[in-house]
Amino acid sequence: MLIEFIIYKSIICVAIFALSLGIAAYSTWWERKFAGLLQDRWGPSRAGKWGLLQPLADGGKMLFKEEIIPSVSNKVLFVLAPGLFIVTAIIAGVLIPWAKPVMIGDSIYPIQIADVNVGVIFLLSVGSVGVYGIMIGGWASNNKYSLLSAIRSSAQMISYELAMGISLIALIITAGGTLSFAEIVAAQDAGFANVVWQPLGFLIFFVCALAETNRAPFDLAECETELIGGYHTEYSAFKLGLFLFAEYINMFVSSAVMAGFYFGGYNFPFANELYTALGLQEGHWLISLIGFGAYFTKTLIFISVFMWIRWTIPRFRYDQLMNLGWKTLLPLSLLNLLITVIVEYFRGNINF
Amino acid sequence: MQLTNRSKVVSNKEQSFAEKIYLPAIISGMATTFSHLFKKRPTIMYPEVKKEYAPVYRGQHVLKRDENGAERCTSCGMCAVACPAEAITMESGERKKGEEHLYREEKYAKKYEINMLRCIFCGLCEEACPKEAIFLTDKIVDAEFERDTFIYGKDKLVEKIDKRIDVTKRQTPEVLEFKKRVGLRHNELNKTIEKKH
């Protein structure tokens, strides 16, 4: 039994780890391809068909470049930072319930690494730890641009975490008071996806997710025009690669979180009717596969939207960023919370 | 005093709510970028697809042979004189007996070099040539790693016997007629040379 459990968990861990890395690698390809398409170009087209080998070429380049550690830097922290950044980015992925549980024999195997019962809080805390990678990296570089970037980035993340947290409270009320990711997704099986009840909440969460992942228009941490490269100015070779890679993993995870929290994850309209029409029993592996396909498609769409936004909107100024975070998003999320409570009271989901 | 009516009064008005939350502007911007997904792209996939050059494009030079395959160049030096960049040098040689199939006239260019780094591809050499021997083609000069390799000798300039280069587009009757016009410098020079003979 224990052996079985360990094998099953290892398989799923390795699979999701590989998935995260693979998606992150191919996000870099799709980012460039999509940017090209939006700008009337073709994007990468030389490495393999449609440039599909581009991530390999980029990775190879990063691996074989000269690695420079500035002599004035704090070496331990300098080396630690990219690792910390990428580890926190990957850790957040353990929560995502990719599909309905599979039943083999009598035992149930959820397609999820860990169903933490305080999943939402875990997610927020891991997200907050993510800022340490940038902060430590920027500080350890001993470069004023990196330091400025690190300060900016941490201020930005703290400001937007607030609105994000409050919009998530409203979501939890709608989802029936559970903090577990798997249960939030499962609750959307019958009825509507949460976005129907939480349109404003979703919008706030989306904007905050952009800010949390340091994506444009909130990429003040990198900000080439002002800060050279921001927190990774001094980084080279694969350490730089890890930073860039972690950004894409972050994006992948937050896309998956949005798809799960607000768009029903592996559920889709008329899913149960489809399964009955196909004659599939609860727990059949095909149900999980179709559900995984639905979830994955939603995630990819969100990743594309992230990129679409990046290549549309110019970067915010620092004061605009703070104004938006504190004066617009925070009051809006509080308003959203109020409306949610009133609506849920009349729907009969809350009792005082 | 108002000089023109092009001046604009700067407005510093407060942003409206719609402007403050940025969303309408963002959505219209995203619609704009999205519409570009389906636009025609001006990209030419270079090594596979090549842009068409004009038939009279001025690229790398060629030293033509005549119908029998003998080199037309007689090493008169008109091109070198005409060259504003002083890119052309040559050394003359005398044709021996039995070399008639190689060189059209008794005097030929033993060495003929064009420095492609100096050349400005103006086409004056082509215009100056009295023997219709040198032409510019639509081939682009290759990139090289060393400066010396940019000095092209006869091995690269003279057209291959089995790979003749078509220059009829730039050697039209009009062009030939034009080249004979009185008053062109190379014609004057030609005359003086002929008189000396």
Side-chain angles (χ1 to χ4, degrees):
Chain A
M1 202 60 210
L2 185 67
I3 296 288
E4 248 177 52
F5 178 78
I6 289 172
I7 290 172
Y8 146 71
K9 280 293 176 196
S10 337
I11 289 175
I12 216 154
C13 280
V14 170
I16 287 175
F17 181 66
L19 186 78
S20 307
L21 293 187
I23 286 294
Y26 272 89
S27 293
T28 62
W29 168 79
W30 177 235
E31 169 105 64
R32 294 167 68 177
K33 196 79 184 170
F34 198 53
L37 293 176
L38 288 175
Q39 294 170 354
D40 296 349
R41 300 181 283 116
W42 282 117
S45 61
R46 291 292 131 186
K49 180 107 177 130
W50 303 313
L52 274 173
L53 297 177
Q54 196 67 48
L56 284 179
D58 286 345
K61 183 197 82 173
M62 289 289 188
L63 264 177
F64 292 114
K65 271 192 159 182
E66 188 188 353
E67 182 125 31
I68 297 163
I69 298 179
S71 55
V72 289
S73 68
N74 185 328
K75 291 191 183 55
V76 178
L77 293 180
F78 189 82
V79 176
L80 178 72
L84 191 66
F85 197 39
I86 199 161
V87 164
T88 50
I90 292 173
I91 281 181
V94 302
L95 289 172
I96 298 161
W98 281 106
K100 281 191 177 173
V102 183
M103 205 120 71
I104 300 170
D106 286 335
S107 31
I108 298 168
Y109 296 101
I111 313 295
Q112 182 185 18
I113 294 176
D115 184 12
V116 184
N117 56 3
V118 286
V120 176
I121 295 172
F122 181 81
L123 203 71
L124 283 175
S125 41
V126 170
S128 333
V129 175
V131 76
Y132 280 99
I134 293 180
M135 249 168 74
I136 293 173
W139 187 79
S141 301
N142 206 348
N143 173 326
K144 60 186 165 195
Y145 293 111
S146 301
L147 186 62
L148 271 175
S149 151
I151 292 168
R152 270 185 182 193
S153 155
S154 32
Q156 169 188 333
M157 284 210 176
I158 289 163
S159 317
Y160 279 74
E161 234 151 49
L162 222 64
M164 188 185 228
I166 292 171
S167 71
L168 278 180
I169 293 175
L171 173 87
I172 290 159
I173 293 173
T174 311
T178 174
L179 286 170
S180 150
F181 200 155
E183 282 172 36
I184 290 176
V185 176
Q188 298 170 72
D189 189 6
F192 296 109
N194 284 334
V195 70
V196 178
W197 305 110
Q198 291 286 335
L200 184 61
F202 166 67
L203 206 67
I204 293 165
F205 187 85
F206 186 78
V207 174
C208 293
L210 280 176
E212 287 283 294
T213 49
N214 272 319
R215 291 286 299 181
F218 303 108
D219 56 346
L220 278 101
E222 280 180 53
C223 202
E224 308 87 355
T225 41
E226 295 161 29
L227 299 178
I228 312 174
Y231 58 93
H232 53 56
T233 304
E234 296 288 355
Y235 281 90
S236 53
F238 211 65
K239 290 207 207 64
L240 174 67
L242 284 183
F243 267 127
L244 302 180
F245 215 64
E247 185 192 323
Y248 285 96
I249 296 177
N250 267 332
M251 197 166 86
F252 170 61
V253 170
S254 47
S255 297
V257 166
M258 269 189 289
F261 277 176
Y262 289 97
F263 282 82
Y266 48 74
N267 301 301
F268 51 95
F270 307 110
N272 288 330
E273 283 83 346
L274 177 75
Y275 297 146
T276 350
L278 288 171
L280 297 174
Q281 293 291 316
E282 185 75 21
H284 196 281
W285 61 272
L286 210 55
I287 289 185
S288 299
L289 194 66
I290 295 172
F292 174 73
Y295 201 153
F296 202 60
T297 315
K298 287 173 195 173
T299 309
L300 294 187
I301 290 172
F302 270 114
I303 292 178
S304 299
V305 172
F306 268 60
M307 290 168 184
W308 183 12
I309 288 175
R310 171 168 180 186
W311 297 104
T312 302
I313 308 170
R315 184 180 296 123
F316 278 96
R317 230 186 312 134
Y318 188 61
D319 61 319
Q320 288 173 328
L321 176 96
M322 284 299 159
N323 276 340
L324 185 71
W326 289 98
K327 291 188 185 164
T328 313
L329 287 181
L330 188 59
L332 272 180
S333 61
L334 285 170
L335 181 74
N336 180 52
L337 183 60
L338 185 71
I339 295 170
T340 309
V341 170
I342 293 169
V343 168
E344 293 299 317
Y345 179 71
F346 285 110
R347 277 176 79 206
N349 291 345
I350 310 177
N351 297 309
F352 292 112
Chain B
M1 193 181 71
Q2 195 182 9
L3 294 173
T4 63
N5 47 13
R6 287 188 308 229
S7 62
K8 244 186 183 174
V9 180
V10 176
S11 93
N12 225 352
K13 69 173 165 48
E14 282 272 297
Q15 286 182 314
S16 68
F17 180 72
E19 282 167 341
K20 250 187 207 156
I21 61 167
Y22 302 109
L23 274 180
I26 286 172
I27 288 167
S28 73
M30 285 174 74
T32 307
T33 42
F34 192 74
S35 73
H36 278 263
L37 269 182
F38 309 105
K39 289 226 166 103
K40 210 174 156 285
R41 283 143 227 290
T43 311
I44 296 169
M45 292 291 175
Y46 170 62
E48 295 93 40
V49 185
K50 280 183 181 151
K51 198 176 168 184
E52 276 216 12
Y53 291 121
V56 289
Y57 183 87
R58 298 198 296 259
Q60 189 184 318
H61 313 67
V62 64
L63 285 176
K64 287 290 288 176
R65 294 170 185 277
D66 66 2
E67 311 75 57
N68 307 322
E71 284 172 25
R72 286 181 182 176
C73 178
T74 179
S75 185
C76 64
M78 298 287 277
C79 46
V81 172
C83 184
E86 301 185 354
I88 305 177
T89 51
M90 66 189 73
E91 227 168 70
S92 313
E94 200 178 343
R95 185 178 69 183
K96 304 259 164 48
K97 262 241 151 64
E99 287 181 335
E100 284 82 1
H101 65 288
L102 287 179
Y103 312 111
R104 196 166 66 173
E105 322 225 353
E106 298 103 73
K107 185 171 158 237
Y108 73 97
K110 213 159 50 176
K111 213 167 97 184
Y112 192 100
E113 283 179 350
I114 301 180
N115 187 337
M116 291 298 172
L117 287 179
R118 304 205 65 162
C119 178
I120 58 169
F121 302 97
C122 61
L124 286 183
C125 46
E126 179 181 22
E127 199 174 285
C129 186
K131 298 291 179 189
E132 304 298 322
I134 189 164
F135 287 99
L136 270 60
T137 62
D138 56 1
K139 183 185 179 297
I140 300 224
V141 177
D142 291 330
E144 309 270 358
F145 288 102
E146 307 288 332
R147 277 173 170 271
D148 329 352
T149 47
F150 276 105
I151 299 171
Y152 281 19
K154 274 180 83 176
D155 52 327
K156 281 189 177 163
L157 291 172
V158 179
E159 68 176 339
K160 302 277 172 294
I161 287 231
D162 48 341
K163 255 204 241 155
R164 305 299 283 266
I165 294 164
D166 182 34
V167 289
T168 44
K169 285 259 171 59
R170 40 178 73 238
Q171 208 185 10
T172 54
E174 290 84 24
V175 173
L176 287 173
E177 201 51 45
F178 175 79
K179 284 178 90 169
K180 282 181 199 137
R181 258 168 62 176
V182 187
L184 283 181
R185 188 159 169 266
H186 68 263
N187 285 337
E188 304 294 315
L189 281 167
N190 255 346
K191 262 178 217 155
T192 50
I193 290 168
E194 270 163 26
K195 260 180 213 162
K196 273 184 191 165
H197 284 283

